[in-house]
Amino acid sequence: MTVKSRIEYRLTEALSPERLEVLNESHLHAGHQPGFDGGGETHMRIRIVAAQFAGKTRVARHRMVNELVREEFDAGLHALAIETAAPGEPVVW
């Protein structure tokens, strides 16, 4: 199972999102560190719309997502960009 699919599974199970995109952006970071060619699944972006975010601050939303994918950092995920919204909020992505 890939990092992307594990993240999708965990977020879907926990948050039942209306919309979810998990993007591998590792290739955008090639050359940022010596020897890193942008391969693999080290830099991910999550775009998610879920009812559980209603009434929560941006920080609280990010904490929720980070807690759900914590194991991926232990397994080698280096960076995670998170874009959240509750249903009915404007989405700019």
Coordinates of all heavy atoms in Angstrom, one line a residue:
M1 N 0.8 -1.2 0.0 CA 0.0 0.0 0.0 C 0.9 1.2 0.0 O 1.9 1.3 0.7 CB -0.9 0.0 1.2 CG -2.0 1.0 1.2 SD -3.1 0.9 2.7 CE -4.5 0.1 2.0
T2 N 0.6 2.2 -0.8 CA 1.4 3.4 -0.9 C 1.1 4.4 0.2 O 0.0 4.3 0.9 CB 1.1 4.2 -2.2 OG1 -0.3 4.6 -2.2 CG2 1.4 3.3 -3.4
V3 N 1.9 5.4 0.4 CA 1.7 6.4 1.4 C 0.4 7.1 1.1 O -0.4 7.3 2.0 CB 2.9 7.4 1.5 CG1 2.6 8.6 2.4 CG2 4.2 6.7 1.9
K4 N 0.2 7.5 -0.1 CA -1.0 8.2 -0.6 C -2.2 7.4 -0.2 O -3.2 7.9 0.3 CB -0.9 8.4 -2.1 CG -2.2 9.1 -2.6 CD -2.1 9.3 -4.1 CE -3.4 10.0 -4.6 NZ -3.7 9.8 -5.9
S5 N -2.3 6.1 -0.5 CA -3.4 5.3 -0.3 C -3.7 5.1 1.2 O -4.8 5.1 1.7 CB -3.4 4.0 -1.0 OG -2.3 3.2 -0.6
R6 N -2.6 5.0 2.0 CA -2.8 4.9 3.5 C -3.4 6.2 4.1 O -4.3 6.1 4.9 CB -1.5 4.5 4.2 CG -1.0 3.1 3.9 CD 0.1 2.7 4.8 NE 1.3 3.5 4.7 CZ 2.3 3.3 3.9 NH1 2.3 2.2 3.2 NH2 3.4 4.1 3.9
I7 N -2.9 7.3 3.6 CA -3.4 8.6 4.0 C -4.9 8.7 3.6 O -5.8 9.1 4.5 CB -2.6 9.8 3.5 CG1 -1.2 9.8 4.1 CG2 -3.3 11.1 3.7 CD1 -0.3 10.8 3.5
E8 N -5.2 8.4 2.4 CA -6.6 8.4 1.9 C -7.5 7.5 2.8 O -8.6 8.0 3.2 CB -6.7 8.0 0.5 CG -6.2 9.0 -0.5 CD -6.0 8.5 -1.9 OE1 -6.0 7.3 -2.1 OE2 -5.9 9.4 -2.8
Y9 N -7.0 6.4 3.1 CA -7.8 5.4 3.9 C -8.1 6.0 5.3 O -9.2 6.0 5.8 CB -7.1 4.1 4.0 CG -7.8 3.1 4.8 CD1 -8.9 2.4 4.4 CD2 -7.4 2.8 6.2 CE1 -9.6 1.5 5.2 CE2 -8.0 1.9 7.0 CZ -9.1 1.3 6.5 OH -9.8 0.4 7.3
R10 N -7.0 6.4 6.0 CA -7.2 6.9 7.3 C -8.1 8.1 7.4 O -8.9 8.2 8.3 CB -5.8 7.3 7.9 CG -4.9 6.1 8.2 CD -3.7 6.5 8.9 NE -2.9 5.3 9.2 CZ -1.7 5.0 8.7 NH1 -1.1 5.9 7.9 NH2 -1.1 3.9 9.0
L11 N -7.9 9.1 6.5 CA -8.8 10.2 6.5 C -10.3 9.9 6.2 O -11.2 10.4 6.8 CB -8.3 11.3 5.6 CG -6.9 11.9 5.9 CD1 -6.4 12.9 4.9 CD2 -7.0 12.6 7.3
T12 N -10.4 9.0 5.2 CA -11.8 8.6 4.9 C -12.5 7.9 6.0 O -13.6 8.1 6.3 CB -11.8 7.7 3.6 OG1 -11.2 8.5 2.5 CG2 -13.2 7.2 3.2
E13 N -11.8 7.0 6.7 CA -12.3 6.2 7.8 C -12.7 7.1 9.0 O -13.7 7.0 9.6 CB -11.4 5.1 8.3 CG -11.3 4.0 7.3 CD -12.5 3.2 7.2 OE1 -13.0 2.7 8.3 OE2 -13.0 3.0 6.1
A14 N -11.8 8.1 9.3 CA -12.0 8.9 10.4 C -13.0 10.1 10.2 O -13.7 10.5 11.1 CB -10.7 9.4 10.9
L15 N -12.9 10.7 9.0 CA -13.6 11.9 8.8 C -14.8 11.9 7.8 O -15.5 12.8 7.6 CB -12.6 13.0 8.3 CG -11.5 13.3 9.3 CD1 -10.5 14.3 8.7 CD2 -12.0 13.8 10.7
S16 N -14.9 10.8 7.0 CA -15.9 10.7 6.0 C -16.1 12.0 5.2 O -17.1 12.6 5.1 CB -17.3 10.3 6.6 OG -17.2 9.1 7.3
P17 N -15.0 12.4 4.5 CA -15.0 13.7 3.9 C -15.9 13.7 2.7 O -16.1 12.7 2.0 CB -13.5 13.9 3.4 CG -13.0 12.5 3.3 CD -13.7 11.7 4.4
E18 N -16.4 14.9 2.4 CA -17.2 15.2 1.2 C -16.3 15.2 0.0 O -16.7 14.9 -1.1 CB -18.0 16.5 1.3 CG -19.1 16.4 2.3 CD -19.9 17.7 2.3 OE1 -19.7 18.6 1.4 OE2 -20.8 17.8 3.2
R19 N -15.1 15.7 0.2 CA -14.1 15.8 -0.8 C -12.7 15.5 -0.2 O -12.4 16.0 0.9 CB -14.2 17.2 -1.4 CG -13.2 17.5 -2.5 CD -13.4 18.9 -3.1 NE -12.4 19.2 -4.1 CZ -12.2 20.4 -4.6 NH1 -13.0 21.4 -4.3 NH2 -11.2 20.6 -5.4
L20 N -11.9 14.8 -1.0 CA -10.6 14.5 -0.5 C -9.6 14.3 -1.7 O -9.9 13.6 -2.6 CB -10.6 13.2 0.3 CG -9.2 12.7 0.8 CD1 -8.5 13.7 1.7 CD2 -9.3 11.3 1.4
E21 N -8.5 15.0 -1.7 CA -7.5 14.9 -2.6 C -6.2 14.7 -1.8 O -5.9 15.5 -1.0 CB -7.3 16.1 -3.5 CG -8.5 16.3 -4.5 CD -8.2 17.6 -5.3 OE1 -7.4 17.6 -6.2 OE2 -8.8 18.6 -5.0
V22 N -5.4 13.7 -2.2 CA -4.1 13.5 -1.6 C -3.1 13.6 -2.8 O -3.2 12.7 -3.7 CB -3.9 12.2 -0.8 CG1 -2.5 12.1 -0.3 CG2 -5.0 12.2 0.3
L23 N -2.3 14.5 -2.8 CA -1.3 14.8 -4.0 C 0.1 14.5 -3.5 O 0.5 15.0 -2.5 CB -1.5 16.2 -4.5 CG -2.9 16.7 -4.8 CD1 -2.9 18.1 -5.0 CD2 -3.4 15.9 -6.0
N24 N 0.8 13.8 -4.4 CA 2.2 13.6 -4.1 C 3.0 14.7 -4.8 O 3.0 14.8 -6.0 CB 2.7 12.2 -4.7 CG 4.1 11.9 -4.5 OD1 4.9 12.7 -4.0 ND2 4.5 10.7 -4.8
E25 N 3.6 15.5 -4.0 CA 4.4 16.7 -4.6 C 5.9 16.5 -4.4 O 6.6 17.5 -4.5 CB 3.9 18.0 -3.9 CG 2.4 18.3 -4.2 CD 2.0 19.6 -3.6 OE1 2.6 20.1 -2.6 OE2 1.0 20.1 -4.1
S26 N 6.3 15.3 -4.2 CA 7.7 15.1 -4.0 C 8.6 15.6 -5.1 O 9.7 16.1 -4.9 CB 8.0 13.6 -3.8 OG 7.2 13.1 -2.7
H27 N 8.1 15.4 -6.3 CA 8.9 15.8 -7.5 C 9.1 17.3 -7.5 O 10.1 17.8 -8.1 CB 8.1 15.4 -8.8 CG 6.8 16.1 -9.0 ND1 5.7 15.8 -8.3 CD2 6.5 17.1 -9.8 CE1 4.7 16.5 -8.6 NE2 5.1 17.4 -9.5
L28 N 8.3 18.1 -6.9 CA 8.5 19.6 -6.8 C 9.7 19.9 -5.9 O 10.1 21.1 -5.9 CB 7.3 20.2 -6.3 CG 6.0 20.0 -7.1 CD1 4.8 20.7 -6.4 CD2 6.2 20.6 -8.5
H29 N 10.2 19.0 -5.1 CA 11.3 19.3 -4.2 C 12.6 18.7 -4.6 O 13.5 18.6 -3.8 CB 10.8 18.8 -2.8 CG 9.6 19.5 -2.3 ND1 9.6 20.7 -1.7 CD2 8.3 19.2 -2.5 CE1 8.4 21.1 -1.4 NE2 7.5 20.2 -1.9
A30 N 12.7 18.2 -5.8 CA 14.0 17.6 -6.2 C 15.1 18.6 -6.1 O 14.9 19.8 -6.5 CB 13.8 17.1 -7.7
G31 N 16.2 18.2 -5.6 CA 17.4 19.1 -5.5 C 17.4 20.0 -4.3 O 18.3 20.7 -4.0
H32 N 16.3 19.9 -3.5 CA 16.3 20.8 -2.3 C 17.3 20.3 -1.2 O 17.7 21.0 -0.4 CB 14.9 20.8 -1.7 CG 14.0 21.7 -2.5 ND1 12.7 22.0 -2.1 CD2 14.1 22.2 -3.7 CE1 12.1 22.7 -3.0 NE2 12.9 22.9 -4.0
Q33 N 17.6 19.0 -1.3 CA 18.6 18.4 -0.4 C 19.5 17.6 -1.2 O 19.1 17.0 -2.2 CB 17.9 17.5 0.7 CG 17.0 18.2 1.6 CD 16.4 17.3 2.6 OE1 16.3 16.1 2.4 NE2 15.9 17.8 3.7
P34 N 20.8 17.6 -0.8 CA 21.7 16.8 -1.6 C 21.3 15.3 -1.8 O 20.8 14.7 -0.8 CB 23.0 16.8 -0.8 CG 22.9 18.1 0.1 CD 21.4 18.2 0.3
G35 N 21.3 14.9 -3.0 CA 20.9 13.5 -3.3 C 19.4 13.2 -3.4 O 19.0 12.1 -3.7
F36 N 18.6 14.2 -3.2 CA 17.1 14.0 -3.3 C 16.7 14.3 -4.7 O 16.8 15.4 -5.2 CB 16.3 14.8 -2.3 CG 14.9 14.5 -2.4 CD1 14.3 13.3 -2.1 CD2 14.0 15.5 -2.8 CE1 13.0 13.0 -2.2 CE2 12.6 15.3 -2.9 CZ 12.1 14.0 -2.6
D37 N 16.2 13.2 -5.4 CA 15.8 13.4 -6.8 C 14.3 13.6 -7.0 O 13.9 13.7 -8.1 CB 16.2 12.2 -7.6 CG 15.5 10.9 -7.2 OD1 14.7 11.0 -6.2 OD2 15.8 9.9 -7.8
G38 N 13.6 13.8 -5.9 CA 12.1 14.0 -6.0 C 11.3 12.7 -6.2 O 10.1 12.8 -6.4
G39 N 11.9 11.6 -6.1 CA 11.2 10.3 -6.2 C 10.6 10.0 -4.8 O 10.8 10.6 -3.8
G40 N 9.8 9.0 -4.9 CA 9.1 8.5 -3.7 C 7.9 9.3 -3.3 O 7.3 10.0 -4.0
E41 N 7.5 9.1 -2.0 CA 6.4 9.8 -1.5 C 6.8 10.5 -0.1 O 6.3 10.1 0.9 CB 5.3 8.8 -1.2 CG 4.7 8.2 -2.5 CD 3.6 7.2 -2.1 OE1 3.8 6.2 -1.5 OE2 2.4 7.5 -2.5
T42 N 7.6 11.5 -0.3 CA 8.1 12.2 0.9 C 7.4 13.6 1.2 O 7.4 14.1 2.3 CB 9.6 12.5 0.8 OG1 9.8 13.3 -0.4 CG2 10.4 11.2 0.7
H43 N 6.8 14.1 0.2 CA 6.1 15.4 0.3 C 4.7 15.3 -0.3 O 4.5 15.1 -1.4 CB 6.9 16.5 -0.5 CG 8.2 16.8 0.0 ND1 9.3 15.9 -0.2 CD2 8.8 17.9 0.6 CE1 10.4 16.4 0.3 NE2 10.1 17.6 0.8
M44 N 3.7 15.5 0.6 CA 2.3 15.3 0.2 C 1.5 16.5 0.5 O 1.8 17.3 1.4 CB 1.7 14.1 1.0 CG 2.5 12.8 0.9 SD 2.6 12.1 -0.8 CE 1.0 11.3 -1.0
R45 N 0.4 16.7 -0.2 CA -0.6 17.7 0.0 C -1.9 17.1 0.2 O -2.3 16.2 -0.6 CB -0.6 18.7 -1.1 CG -1.7 19.8 -1.0 CD -1.6 20.9 -2.1 NE -0.3 21.5 -2.1 CZ 0.1 22.6 -1.4 NH1 -0.8 23.1 -0.6 NH2 1.3 23.0 -1.5
I46 N -2.6 17.5 1.2 CA -4.0 17.0 1.5 C -5.0 18.2 1.3 O -4.8 19.2 1.9 CB -4.1 16.4 2.9 CG1 -3.2 15.2 3.1 CG2 -5.6 16.1 3.3 CD1 -3.1 14.7 4.5
R47 N -6.0 18.0 0.5 CA -7.1 18.9 0.4 C -8.3 18.2 0.8 O -8.7 17.1 0.2 CB -7.2 19.4 -1.1 CG -6.0 20.2 -1.5 CD -6.1 20.5 -3.0 NE -5.0 21.4 -3.3 CZ -4.6 21.7 -4.6 NH1 -5.2 21.0 -5.6 NH2 -3.7 22.5 -4.8
I48 N -9.0 18.7 1.8 CA -10.1 17.9 2.4 C -11.3 18.8 2.9 O -11.0 19.8 3.5 CB -9.6 17.0 3.6 CG1 -10.7 16.1 4.1 CG2 -8.9 17.8 4.6 CD1 -10.2 15.1 5.1
V49 N -12.5 18.4 2.6 CA -13.7 19.0 3.0 C -14.4 18.0 3.9 O -14.8 16.9 3.4 CB -14.6 19.5 1.9 CG1 -15.9 20.1 2.4 CG2 -13.8 20.5 1.0
A50 N -14.6 18.4 5.2 CA -15.3 17.4 6.1 C -16.1 18.2 7.1 O -15.7 19.2 7.6 CB -14.3 16.5 6.8
A51 N -17.3 17.6 7.5 CA -18.2 18.2 8.4 C -17.5 18.4 9.8 O -17.8 19.4 10.5 CB -19.5 17.4 8.5
Q52 N -16.6 17.5 10.1 CA -15.9 17.6 11.5 C -15.1 18.9 11.6 O -14.7 19.2 12.7 CB -15.0 16.4 11.7 CG -15.8 15.1 11.9 CD -16.2 14.4 10.6 OE1 -16.2 15.0 9.5 NE2 -16.5 13.1 10.7
F53 N -14.8 19.6 10.6 CA -14.1 20.8 10.6 C -14.9 22.0 11.0 O -14.4 23.1 11.3 CB -13.3 21.1 9.3 CG -12.3 20.1 9.0 CD1 -12.1 19.7 7.7 CD2 -11.5 19.5 9.9 CE1 -11.1 18.8 7.3 CE2 -10.5 18.5 9.6 CZ -10.4 18.2 8.3
A54 N -16.2 21.9 10.9 CA -17.1 23.0 11.2 C -16.9 23.6 12.6 O -16.8 22.8 13.6 CB -18.6 22.6 11.0
G55 N -16.7 24.9 12.7 CA -16.5 25.5 14.0 C -15.1 25.4 14.6 O -14.9 25.9 15.6
K56 N -14.2 24.7 13.9 CA -12.9 24.6 14.4 C -11.9 25.6 13.7 O -12.1 25.9 12.5 CB -12.4 23.1 14.1 CG -13.2 22.1 14.9 CD -12.4 20.9 15.1 CE -13.0 19.8 16.0 NZ -14.4 19.9 16.2
T57 N -10.9 26.0 14.4 CA -9.9 26.9 13.9 C -9.0 26.1 12.9 O -9.0 24.9 12.9 CB -9.0 27.4 15.0 OG1 -8.2 26.3 15.6 CG2 -9.8 28.2 16.0
R58 N -8.3 26.8 12.1 CA -7.4 26.2 11.2 C -6.4 25.4 11.9 O -6.0 24.2 11.4 CB -6.7 27.3 10.3 CG -5.8 26.8 9.2 CD -5.4 28.0 8.4 NE -4.0 27.9 8.1 CZ -3.3 28.7 7.4 NH1 -3.9 29.8 7.0 NH2 -2.0 28.6 7.2
V59 N -5.9 25.8 13.0 CA -4.9 25.1 13.8 C -5.5 23.8 14.3 O -4.9 22.7 14.2 CB -4.3 25.9 14.9 CG1 -3.5 25.0 15.9 CG2 -3.5 27.1 14.4
A60 N -6.7 23.8 14.8 CA -7.4 22.6 15.3 C -7.6 21.6 14.1 O -7.4 20.4 14.3 CB -8.7 23.0 15.9
R61 N -8.0 22.1 13.0 CA -8.2 21.2 11.8 C -6.9 20.5 11.4 O -6.8 19.3 11.1 CB -8.7 22.0 10.6 CG -10.1 22.6 10.9 CD -10.5 23.5 9.7 NE -11.8 24.1 10.0 CZ -12.5 24.7 9.0 NH1 -11.9 24.9 7.8 NH2 -13.7 25.2 9.3
H62 N -5.8 21.3 11.4 CA -4.5 20.7 11.0 C -4.0 19.7 12.0 O -3.5 18.7 11.7 CB -3.5 21.8 10.9 CG -3.6 22.6 9.6 ND1 -2.6 23.0 8.8 CD2 -4.7 23.0 8.9 CE1 -3.0 23.7 7.7 NE2 -4.3 23.6 7.8
R63 N -4.3 20.0 13.3 CA -3.9 19.0 14.3 C -4.7 17.7 14.2 O -4.1 16.6 14.3 CB -4.2 19.6 15.7 CG -3.2 20.6 16.2 CD -3.5 21.1 17.6 NE -2.5 22.1 17.9 CZ -2.7 23.1 18.8 NH1 -3.9 23.2 19.4 NH2 -1.7 23.9 19.1
M64 N -6.0 17.8 13.8 CA -6.8 16.6 13.6 C -6.1 15.7 12.4 O -6.0 14.5 12.6 CB -8.2 17.0 13.2 CG -9.0 17.5 14.3 SD -10.6 18.2 13.7 CE -11.4 16.7 13.1
V65 N -5.8 16.4 11.3 CA -5.2 15.7 10.2 C -3.9 15.1 10.5 O -3.6 14.0 10.3 CB -5.2 16.6 9.0 CG1 -4.4 16.0 7.8 CG2 -6.6 17.0 8.5
N66 N -3.0 15.9 11.2 CA -1.7 15.5 11.5 C -1.8 14.2 12.5 O -1.0 13.3 12.3 CB -0.9 16.6 12.2 CG -0.2 17.5 11.2 OD1 0.5 17.0 10.3 ND2 -0.4 18.7 11.3
E67 N -2.7 14.3 13.4 CA -2.8 13.1 14.3 C -3.2 11.9 13.5 O -2.7 10.8 13.8 CB -3.9 13.4 15.4 CG -4.1 12.3 16.4 CD -2.9 12.0 17.2 OE1 -2.1 13.0 17.5 OE2 -2.7 10.9 17.6
L68 N -4.1 12.0 12.5 CA -4.5 10.8 11.8 C -3.4 10.2 10.9 O -3.4 9.1 10.6 CB -5.7 11.2 10.9 CG -7.0 11.5 11.7 CD1 -8.1 12.1 10.9 CD2 -7.5 10.2 12.3
V69 N -2.4 11.1 10.5 CA -1.4 10.6 9.6 C 0.0 10.5 10.3 O 1.0 10.3 9.6 CB -1.3 11.4 8.3 CG1 -2.6 11.3 7.5 CG2 -0.9 12.8 8.6
R70 N 0.0 10.6 11.6 CA 1.3 10.6 12.3 C 2.2 9.5 12.0 O 3.4 9.6 11.9 CB 1.0 10.6 13.8 CG 2.2 10.5 14.7 CD 1.9 10.3 16.1 NE 1.0 11.4 16.5 CZ 0.8 11.7 17.8 NH1 1.5 11.2 18.7 NH2 0.0 12.7 18.1
E71 N 1.6 8.3 11.8 CA 2.5 7.1 11.5 C 3.3 7.3 10.2 O 4.3 6.7 10.1 CB 1.6 5.9 11.4 CG 1.0 5.4 12.8 CD 0.1 4.2 12.6 OE1 0.2 3.5 11.7 OE2 -0.7 4.1 13.5
E72 N 2.7 8.0 9.3 CA 3.4 8.2 8.0 C 4.7 9.0 8.2 O 5.7 8.8 7.5 CB 2.5 8.9 7.0 CG 1.3 8.1 6.6 CD 1.7 6.7 6.1 OE1 2.7 6.5 5.5 OE2 0.9 5.8 6.4
F73 N 4.7 10.0 9.1 CA 6.0 10.7 9.4 C 7.0 9.7 10.0 O 8.2 9.8 9.7 CB 5.7 11.9 10.4 CG 5.1 13.0 9.7 CD1 3.7 13.3 9.8 CD2 5.8 13.9 8.9 CE1 3.1 14.4 9.2 CE2 5.3 15.0 8.3 CZ 3.9 15.2 8.4
D74 N 6.6 8.8 10.9 CA 7.5 7.9 11.5 C 8.0 6.9 10.4 O 9.1 6.4 10.5 CB 6.8 7.0 12.5 CG 6.3 7.9 13.7 OD1 6.9 8.9 13.9 OD2 5.4 7.4 14.4
A75 N 7.3 6.8 9.3 CA 7.7 5.9 8.2 C 8.4 6.6 7.1 O 8.8 5.9 6.1 CB 6.5 5.1 7.7
G76 N 8.7 7.9 7.2 CA 9.5 8.6 6.2 C 8.9 9.8 5.5 O 9.5 10.4 4.7
L77 N 7.6 10.1 5.8 CA 7.0 11.3 5.2 C 7.8 12.5 5.8 O 8.0 12.6 7.0 CB 5.5 11.3 5.6 CG 4.8 12.5 5.0 CD1 4.7 12.5 3.5 CD2 3.3 12.6 5.6
H78 N 8.2 13.4 4.9 CA 9.0 14.5 5.3 C 8.2 15.8 5.5 O 8.4 16.6 6.4 CB 10.1 14.7 4.3 CG 11.0 15.9 4.6 ND1 11.9 16.0 5.6 CD2 11.0 17.1 3.9 CE1 12.5 17.2 5.6 NE2 12.0 17.9 4.6
A79 N 7.2 16.0 4.6 CA 6.5 17.3 4.6 C 5.0 17.0 4.2 O 4.7 16.2 3.4 CB 7.1 18.3 3.7
L80 N 4.1 17.8 4.9 CA 2.7 17.7 4.6 C 2.1 19.1 4.5 O 2.2 19.8 5.5 CB 2.1 16.8 5.7 CG 0.6 16.6 5.6 CD1 0.3 15.7 4.3 CD2 0.1 15.8 6.8
A81 N 1.5 19.4 3.4 CA 0.7 20.6 3.3 C -0.8 20.2 3.4 O -1.2 19.2 2.9 CB 0.9 21.2 1.9
I82 N -1.5 21.0 4.2 CA -2.9 20.7 4.5 C -3.8 21.8 4.2 O -3.5 23.0 4.6 CB -3.0 20.3 6.0 CG1 -2.1 19.2 6.4 CG2 -4.5 20.0 6.3 CD1 -2.0 18.9 7.9
E83 N -4.8 21.6 3.4 CA -5.8 22.6 3.1 C -7.2 22.0 3.5 O -7.6 20.9 3.0 CB -5.8 22.9 1.6 CG -4.5 23.4 1.1 CD -4.4 23.5 -0.4 OE1 -5.4 23.7 -1.1 OE2 -3.2 23.5 -0.9
T84 N -7.9 22.6 4.4 CA -9.1 22.1 5.0 C -10.2 23.1 4.8 O -10.0 24.3 4.7 CB -9.0 21.8 6.5 OG1 -8.7 23.1 7.2 CG2 -7.9 20.8 6.8
A85 N -11.4 22.5 4.8 CA -12.7 23.3 4.7 C -13.8 22.5 5.3 O -13.8 21.3 5.2 CB -13.0 23.8 3.3
A86 N -14.8 23.2 5.9 CA -16.0 22.6 6.3 C -17.0 22.7 5.1 O -16.8 23.6 4.3 CB -16.6 23.2 7.5
P87 N -18.0 21.9 5.0 CA -19.0 22.0 4.0 C -19.6 23.5 4.0 O -19.9 24.0 5.0 CB -20.1 21.0 4.3 CG -19.3 20.0 5.1 CD -18.3 20.7 5.9
G88 N -19.7 24.0 2.8 CA -20.3 25.4 2.6 C -19.2 26.5 2.7 O -19.5 27.6 2.3
E89 N -18.0 26.2 3.2 CA -17.0 27.2 3.2 C -16.4 27.3 1.8 O -16.3 26.3 1.0 CB -15.9 26.8 4.2 CG -16.3 26.9 5.6 CD -15.2 26.5 6.6 OE1 -14.1 26.0 6.1 OE2 -15.4 26.7 7.8
P90 N -15.9 28.5 1.4 CA -15.3 28.6 0.1 C -14.0 27.8 0.0 O -13.2 27.7 0.9 CB -14.9 30.1 0.0 CG -15.2 30.7 1.3 CD -15.9 29.7 2.2
V91 N -13.8 27.2 -1.1 CA -12.6 26.3 -1.4 C -11.9 27.0 -2.5 O -12.5 27.2 -3.6 CB -13.0 24.9 -1.7 CG1 -11.8 24.1 -2.0 CG2 -13.8 24.3 -0.6
V92 N -10.6 27.3 -2.3 CA -9.9 28.0 -3.3 C -8.9 27.1 -4.1 O -8.0 27.6 -4.8 CB -9.1 29.2 -2.7 CG1 -10.1 30.2 -2.2 CG2 -8.2 28.7 -1.6
W93 N -9.0 25.8 -3.9 CA -8.1 24.9 -4.7 C -8.7 24.3 -5.8 O -9.9 24.2 -6.0 CB -7.4 23.9 -3.7 CG -8.3 22.9 -3.1 CD1 -8.9 21.9 -3.7 CD2 -8.8 22.9 -1.7 NE1 -9.7 21.2 -2.8 CE2 -9.7 21.8 -1.6 CE3 -8.6 23.8 -0.7 CZ2 -10.3 21.5 -0.4 CZ3 -9.2 23.4 0.5 CH2 -10.0 22.4 0.7

